[in-house]
Amino acid sequence: MINKQKLWFLTLFSLILVLSVYYITMPSDLMTASKKPTTTQETEDTANVNVTQEDVLTALQVEADEQRAALAAEYNEILTNKDTSTEEKNNAYNGLKEIDELKAKEEELENKLKKQLKLDSFIKIDSNNISVTLKKKDHDYSLANSIMRLIQEEYQDKMYISVKFQN
């Protein structure tokens, strides 16, 4: 049985672990940029920057990560609540595991597209539906078809794959 002291220890330890992993994986550019003193001229210059295509893909990625983080927080709350049943805790654990597997599969597919077709992309998997957003101006049907085939190779079951081109 977990008492309050153990629960607090686990909570704080997991928080420290997550923050340390975040700090280690953070790009070194951000750490060096935060150490430099900023002037008003620098902030004015950065405020006028246009949104690039990479920013669109990053925004989609951040939005998906926020949704997953909210769902993971719900699952963690179920896991840490002592009044929930074992079955509910098992379902919450399986949900967390599924979130991690989906994220890993999406990253694997993005890396495959980057390696084989030299394309920046954002991939979102939702059960049988796979949505691919590409950073490309030209709407090329043969490219979309080859992307669909590349992704379908990874699955035995029929997946519904949609390809969207961002200008």
Side-chain angles (χ1 to χ4, degrees), residues 10-167:
L10 289 174
T11 304
L12 291 175
F13 179 76
S14 62
L15 180 64
I16 290 170
L17 182 67
V18 167
L19 289 175
S20 63
V21 168
Y22 177 74
Y23 179 77
I24 290 170
T25 59
M26 188 170 43
S28 61
D29 309 346
L30 294 176
M31 289 189 283
T32 57
S34 65
K35 291 179 184 176
K36 291 192 308 185
T38 58
T39 62
T40 56
Q41 181 64 27
E42 287 180 21
T43 55
E44 289 174 7
D45 291 342
T46 57
N48 295 329
V49 175
N50 291 333
V51 175
T52 63
Q53 295 301 324
E54 233 174 84
D55 293 337
V56 172
L57 296 178
T58 305
L60 290 171
Q61 185 67 43
V62 167
E63 181 181 338
D65 287 344
E66 286 176 352
Q67 290 173 351
R68 287 195 179 118
L71 190 57
E74 290 177 22
Y75 288 146
N76 282 327
E77 186 176 323
I78 291 171
L79 284 173
T80 57
N81 190 353
K82 66 179 182 178
D83 296 332
T84 57
S85 68
T86 306
E87 184 178 336
E88 290 174 334
K89 287 185 179 185
N90 285 337
N91 290 339
Y93 176 75
N94 289 335
L96 284 172
K97 191 174 168 183
E98 183 180 327
I99 289 172
D100 290 339
E101 289 171 355
L102 281 177
K103 185 169 176 77
K105 190 65 172 177
E106 288 172 354
E107 288 176 359
E108 177 186 334
L109 291 173
E110 287 173 4
N111 290 336
K112 186 175 184 178
L113 287 178
K114 184 143 185 113
K115 181 180 176 186
Q116 292 185 4
L117 300 176
K118 311 281 190 278
L119 293 172
D120 289 331
S121 63
F122 168 73
I123 297 178
K124 182 163 179 149
I125 301 173
D126 183 26
S127 64
N128 287 1
N129 299 323
I130 299 176
S131 174
V132 180
T133 305
L134 295 176
K135 178 183 146 180
K136 190 164 172 77
K137 292 181 182 179
D138 303 330
H139 301 284
D140 187 7
Y141 294 112
S142 62
L143 177 63
N145 193 16
S146 63
I147 290 170
M148 289 180 194
R149 287 189 178 149
L150 268 176
I151 292 175
Q152 187 61 50
E153 286 175 356
E154 297 290 320
Y155 296 96
Q156 293 177 355
D157 298 334
K158 173 74 174 144
M159 301 300 283
Y160 299 101
I161 303 166
S162 64
V163 178
K164 180 179 177 183
F165 292 91
Q166 286 288 340
N167 292 340

